[in-house]
Amino acid sequence: MFTKVLVANRGAIACRIFRTLKRMGIGTVAVYSEADRHARHALIADEAICIGPAPVAQSYLNIDAIIDACKRTGAQAVHPGYGFLSENAGFAERLAAEGIRFIGPRPEHMREFGLKHTAREAAQACAVPLLPGTGLLVGLEEARAAAQRIGYPVMIKSTAGGGGIGLQLCQTPEELAPLFETVRRLSESNFKDGGIYLEKYVAVARHIEVQIFGDGKGQVVALGERDCSLQRRNQKVVEETPAPNLPAATRTALMEAAIRLGRHAAYESAGTVEFIYDEAADAFYFLEVNTRLQVEHGVTEQVTGIDLVEWMVRQAAADLGPLQAPQPKGASIQMRVYAEDPGKNFLPCSGKLTHVAFPSDARVDGWVETGAEVTPFYDPMLAKIIVTGTDRADALGKLRKALSETQIYGIETNLHYLAAIAASPMLATGAVSTKALAKFPYQPATLDVLAPGAQSSLQDWPGRLGYWDVGVPPSGPMDALSHRLANRLVGNTEDAATLEITLSGPTLRFNAPATIALAGAEMGASLDGVPVPLWEPVAVAAGQVLSIGAAQGTGNRAYVAVRNGFDAPLYLGSRATFALGRFGGHGTGCLRIGDVLRMNGHGAGAPAADALPTELRPQLTHDWRIGVLVGPHGAPDFFTEADIATLFEAEYEVHFNSARTGVRLIGPKPEWARTDGGEAGLHPSNIHDNA
């Protein structure tokens, strides 16, 4: 058995592999890029080696740097995980030349199944069902003839690569030429291989795959199937086992076909045989083979009790006994959590995670935690949430609970999108297909910040109390009364977070219907150009834009409350933003262009209350009368009686350097009770330095 293994990967899969290696008592080595120097996988390994700058070509794809890391640490084997170099036959051969074991399939398996047209040939050789299609095409004219023979629509496919790149649906003969050229160009650019072939397109299809494991000598076992039909842009989002609504005879035939293909190649290590399933015809067709560990391998592990990483390590170390496939028990479902904004066409997001919490009773394969930095350089997947139940209904219930207990703040993720899928009749009934998510209705309960305003931030009442002694001020709303009244108008409790606006306001686009109320200073707010009144609830439709101008007349701060409140994590007991300390609120400070504010659910419906009566509205004025009590410094040894009278009677001006940490007043200079401090230096003015 190996004593030390290097994991040539990052993120969730690296952390997952380290967990198994540590349990097996094997030393662990991480490699990391400069951008990942504080990433979790680099911190939990026994040793960690920097292999280059952030770009993957200079780090995680740098074969020389990875081999050098093996030599420096004495690692005897490399586990590639998935992605990056996991299906690179040349990498496996370079390792072998250096006397380092590659934990995975042999190079010839990667080559045979890495190109889809040779994989089709292998499947055909062992009677695995194939969609009507072609081998590699010489050019466009051959493609036209083949498409006519197969029948439109057809899929134009690159023989290399994966992940949806080099894949185009062609509906008509007129589309063939431009799409053929697009696929060829993408294939050459991304995979250095312009080979193209055609396949018949199945309009309503499911994606079902079989997990296989081979000993490299002809023995292959199938460890159950997984349904991976719910995809977005050809990227999987939800995976489960067993596949729902699959006839028993079809399930058996799928297993047998996958085993035949594995035995035909004398397959070694873990692999996945993927199929397209036409549910209407109850027929399946070979798609491709992934010669690596799959992202969704965890659901298979949950129902079989097998640790696939351990099997791979033992097989590579010649320490794996005869292969036996246990009978799967129960059901398991996985959802992928991505750093992307569903409200902006799933635009990837990056930044610091201010609060992360996962449920304790679900399996979470991930790499993020509070304070982690999500960079723009790599795949946006943050974690995989995996649940297991006695049956599918039990697993679905656990999935919904796990998603409701998961919290990720600081950047946008697809977490609420996943929760909507988990709650949908589509998933409950198993009526899934590869195109289902393209039509899935989802409306994020968010606001997009089109312009931030001068100093706009989330605040709650009474704020962050009890931390002055460690330098953290109370925060909270400057005008607590207007904040609380705005919340009352939309039916919230007084402590719900509102948006505080200073001097000039933001421009906000609502992605879901809401009920709002504005309170405080008049700032000329409008909704799609129509003026919005203060002190009364207003209904907002999805897509409408709220624009708030500059302060008019008296008062510097206004408040926007939304029904159910803004969604933000508690930090030291409050959701209030402490801008100077860069914590609290929606992220780490005041609003910026491109930020997203979350609402606690859709707050649409009839207004929660009538307009606030005029007599209850705070009267904002330049002149205020404030109440003051005589405290301990009012003693005769500090101030004379005339001083005290002047202090109460004088008019003061608010100093420009005032903030929520304190309001400075400019007024008359005191006439102190003593002219000097005496021998002890105790001049009364020293009260300025006295807590």
Side-chain angles (χ1 to χ4, degrees), residues 105-120:
R106 295 197 298 265
E108 59 264 33
H109 296 146
M110 298 183 205
R111 289 197 170 97
E112 181 175 10
F113 294 121
L115 295 176
K116 297 181 180 66
H117 76 283
T118 57
R120 278 178 59 91

Side-chain angles (χ1 to χ4, degrees), residues 108-450:
E108 59 264 33
H109 296 146
M110 298 183 205
R111 289 197 170 97
E112 181 175 10
F113 294 121
L115 295 176
K116 297 181 180 66
H117 76 283
T118 57
R120 278 178 59 91
E121 292 168 1
Q124 189 172 23
C126 52
V128 174
L130 289 170
L131 280 167
T134 71
L136 283 185
L137 297 166
V138 174
L140 179 60
E141 291 309 313
E142 187 179 4
R144 282 200 175 102
Q148 196 66 37
R149 183 180 68 254
I150 295 168
Y152 287 93
V154 296
M155 292 298 296
I156 308 173
K157 292 187 171 185
S158 162
T159 186
I165 300 173
L167 189 71
Q168 291 284 343
L169 171 62
C170 179
Q171 299 274 12
T172 65
E174 291 72 27
E175 295 177 343
L176 185 64
L179 291 178
F180 187 90
E181 176 59 25
T182 296
V183 173
R184 186 197 61 76
R185 186 177 65 253
L186 285 172
S187 184
E188 288 183 346
S189 172
N190 288 278
F191 313 121
K192 313 303 181 194
D193 188 330
I196 295 175
Y197 69 102
L198 301 185
E199 264 187 356
K200 177 67 179 175
Y201 173 67
V202 179
V204 181
R206 287 170 61 183
H207 184 128
I208 297 179
E209 60 189 30
V210 177
Q211 176 71 59
I212 63 170
F213 201 98
D215 65 358
K217 301 172 184 176
Q219 185 185 9
V220 175
V221 294
L223 302 174
E225 87 289 349
R226 299 182 289 251
D227 190 304
C228 307
S229 300
L230 288 179
Q231 304 176 10
R232 192 187 56 75
R233 296 176 186 159
N234 298 309
Q235 290 282 7
K236 299 167 188 173
V237 177
V238 184
E239 299 104 340
E240 64 175 301
T241 186
N245 307 327
L246 188 65
T250 305
R251 180 176 282 111
T252 300
L254 279 163
M255 302 291 177
E256 292 174 347
I259 290 172
R260 283 200 308 275
L261 186 56
R263 287 176 177 167
H264 168 79
Y267 192 80
E268 181 174 284
S269 196
T272 301
V273 184
E274 301 194 349
F275 298 93
I276 286 293
Y277 177 56
D278 185 342
E279 190 169 25
D282 188 24
F284 63 87
Y285 308 96
F286 173 77
L287 184 62
E288 62 182 354
V289 176
N290 285 306
T291 54
R292 55 173 167 80
L293 194 68
Q294 288 281 86
V295 178
E296 57 272 18
H297 73 276
V299 295
T300 296
E301 293 182 328
Q302 291 298 108
V303 299
T304 61
I306 292 170
D307 186 327
L308 284 168
V309 172
E310 180 175 353
W311 272 30
M312 293 178 74
V313 172
R314 292 193 180 279
Q315 193 278 332
D319 188 42
L320 185 65
L323 297 177
Q324 293 183 333
Q327 185 67 32
K329 295 180 181 178
S332 185
I333 307 174
Q334 169 181 291
M335 282 189 159
R336 304 188 188 189
V337 181
Y338 287 108
E340 60 186 16
D341 185 355
K344 296 177 181 173
N345 198 26
F346 297 91
L347 183 72
C349 301
S350 61
K352 180 171 287 188
L353 299 178
T354 58
H355 177 74
V356 177
F358 290 109
S360 59
D361 55 353
R363 171 176 166 177
V364 179
D365 287 359
W367 64 275
V368 295
E369 54 196 342
T370 299
E373 188 78 25
V374 179
T375 73
F377 300 107
Y378 311 115
D379 185 282
M381 190 171 70
L382 304 179
K384 301 175 291 179
I385 297 176
I386 306 169
V387 296
T388 308
T390 55
D391 55 23
R392 189 172 188 270
D394 184 35
L396 275 172
K398 291 180 177 179
L399 177 67
R400 293 166 187 145
K401 178 175 180 291
L403 292 171
S404 70
E405 294 174 356
T406 301
Q407 299 176 342
I408 304 177
Y409 291 93
I411 64 174
E412 284 308 289
T413 72
N414 67 337
L415 187 58
H416 290 94
Y417 176 71
L418 296 179
I421 294 172
S424 68
M426 170 190 67
L427 191 62
T429 60
V432 296
S433 74
T434 55
K435 300 298 181 184
L437 290 186
K439 304 174 184 176
F440 183 70
Y442 175 68
Q443 190 174 58
T446 59
L447 291 76
D448 291 329
V449 178
L450 306 182

Side-chain angles (χ1 to χ4, degrees), residues 2-8 21 26-31 47 49 66-79 95 98-103:
F2 307 119
T3 58
K4 189 179 290 186
V5 170
L6 181 146
V7 177
L21 294 174
I26 298 173
T28 56
V29 180
V31 291
E47 299 175 73
I49 303 292
I66 293 172
I67 291 175
D68 180 66
C70 290
K71 292 178 177 179
R72 290 167 59 187
T73 59
Q76 303 152 297
V78 170
H79 197 305
L95 288 175
E98 298 288 347
I100 302 167
R101 190 72 165 92
F102 178 84
I103 300 175

Side-chain angles (χ1 to χ4, degrees), residues 362-597:
R363 171 176 166 177
V364 179
D365 287 359
W367 64 275
V368 295
E369 54 196 342
T370 299
E373 188 78 25
V374 179
T375 73
F377 300 107
Y378 311 115
D379 185 282
M381 190 171 70
L382 304 179
K384 301 175 291 179
I385 297 176
I386 306 169
V387 296
T388 308
T390 55
D391 55 23
R392 189 172 188 270
D394 184 35
L396 275 172
K398 291 180 177 179
L399 177 67
R400 293 166 187 145
K401 178 175 180 291
L403 292 171
S404 70
E405 294 174 356
T406 301
Q407 299 176 342
I408 304 177
Y409 291 93
I411 64 174
E412 284 308 289
T413 72
N414 67 337
L415 187 58
H416 290 94
Y417 176 71
L418 296 179
I421 294 172
S424 68
M426 170 190 67
L427 191 62
T429 60
V432 296
S433 74
T434 55
K435 300 298 181 184
L437 290 186
K439 304 174 184 176
F440 183 70
Y442 175 68
Q443 190 174 58
T446 59
L447 291 76
D448 291 329
V449 178
L450 306 182
Q455 194 177 54
S456 308
S457 64
L458 293 187
Q459 300 293 338
D460 67 357
W461 180 82
R464 190 170 289 106
L465 305 179
Y467 297 97
W468 254 126
D469 55 339
V470 292
V472 178
S475 302
M478 282 287 283
D479 180 357
L481 179 56
S482 292
H483 160 94
R484 291 154 65 195
L485 290 172
N487 270 327
R488 178 193 295 184
L489 286 166
V490 294
N492 295 343
T493 57
E494 292 182 320
D495 60 345
T498 66
L499 181 63
E500 181 181 81
I501 298 155
T502 305
L503 292 175
S504 64
T507 302
L508 309 168
R509 180 175 57 231
F510 286 75
N511 295 319
T515 300
I516 67 169
L518 276 65
E522 175 61 62
M523 292 190 178
S526 64
L527 192 62
D528 285 351
V530 178
V532 176
L534 288 169
W535 307 112
E536 62 182 75
V538 175
V540 180
Q544 286 195 291
V545 174
L546 176 67
S547 300
I548 300 178
Q552 303 172 1
T554 56
N556 289 333
R557 287 177 175 81
Y559 296 84
V560 178
V562 299
R563 181 177 292 181
N564 304 321
F566 288 100
D567 180 18
L570 289 171
Y571 192 95
L572 296 178
S574 172
R575 293 179 173 83
T577 302
F578 177 27
L580 186 62
R582 296 197 61 76
F583 58 72
H586 76 292
T588 56
C590 297
L591 296 193
R592 295 175 296 182
I593 292 177
D595 280 356
V596 177
L597 293 176

